[in-house]
């Protein structure tokens, strides 16, 4: 079994998409060993409990010291003994020690076509506000490996989504989730679970 940890901060619709994809056989030979949240009120924790998945909270509020917090986060991931860490709307910066230890074993979903509308400051609705303000006609989602930069790691999968003239950031966010994120993240996990992706010089290739 390929074991994954899913890290969340909010609603957890991407987590739900992974749970559903495992149940329906879109993702095979894979189990969610743990869901880790930085926020005890994240609805994602409820989703995990309802699905019978171990859920833990490593709260930033309870561990204000950054170095201590980073250690606690790494400990939570280490304890789960996973093959892959999936960031599904996780809003805490991943500690460098974890990135090094889990090189090409941490993936993130970002709601734009990287390298557009990504990097520091582009999170949540800000990504979609940026796309609408620039007037791009296509946006989408990207699954990528996590490296030391912000949204700079090797790209695994991307999917384009059309932008409509009357879109609001909220409407666009929802369309990108429905048409891209909820499909792309399970697809990427399944590819990795079956060892179908390799990274050469910062670029991924299908094996
Ligand atoms: C998604 O838009 C994801 O791309 C971004 O944060 C959001 C998380 O939503 N990084 P949810 O918690 O999975 O519903």
């Amino acid at each position: 079994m390929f074991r994954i940890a899913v890290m969340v901060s909010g609603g957890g619709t991407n987590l739900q998409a992974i749970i559903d994809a495992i149940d329906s056989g879109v993702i095979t030979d894979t189990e969610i060993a743990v869901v880790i949240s930085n926020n005890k009120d994240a609805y994602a924790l409820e989703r995990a409990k309802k699905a019978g998945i171990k859920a833990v909270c490593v709260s930033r509020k309870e561990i204000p010291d950054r170095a201590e917090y980073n250690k606690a986060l790494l400990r939570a991931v280490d304890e789960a003994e996973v093959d892959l860490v999936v960031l599904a709307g996780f809003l805490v910066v991943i500690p460098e020690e974890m990135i090094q230890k889990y090189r090409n074993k941490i993936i993130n979903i970002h709601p734009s076509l990287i390298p557009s509308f990504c990097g520091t400051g582009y999170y949540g609705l800000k990504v979609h506000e940026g796309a609408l303000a620039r007037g791009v006609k296509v946006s989408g989602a990207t699954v990528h490996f996590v490296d030391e930069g912000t949204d700079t790691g090797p790209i695994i999968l991307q999917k384009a989504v059309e932008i409509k003239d009357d879109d609001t950031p909220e409407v666009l966010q929802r369309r990108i989730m429905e048409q891209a994120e909820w499909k792309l993240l399970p697809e990427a996990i399944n590819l990795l679970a079956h060892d179908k992706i390799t990274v050469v010089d910062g670029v991924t290739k299908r094996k």
Side-chain angles (χ1 to χ4, degrees), residues 8-16 44 47 87-91 108-112 122-124 127-128 141-142 173 176-177 181-182 185:
V8 295
S9 296
T13 61
N14 279 287
L15 168 66
Q16 192 64 55
R47 293 182 192 271
L87 308 184
F90 189 61
L91 295 177
N108 180 47
I109 177 104
H110 182 78
S112 76
Y122 281 114
Y123 59 89
V127 181
H128 309 295
T142 303
Q173 178 182 52
I176 289 176
M177 283 178 152
E181 294 183 47
W182 300 341
L185 194 53

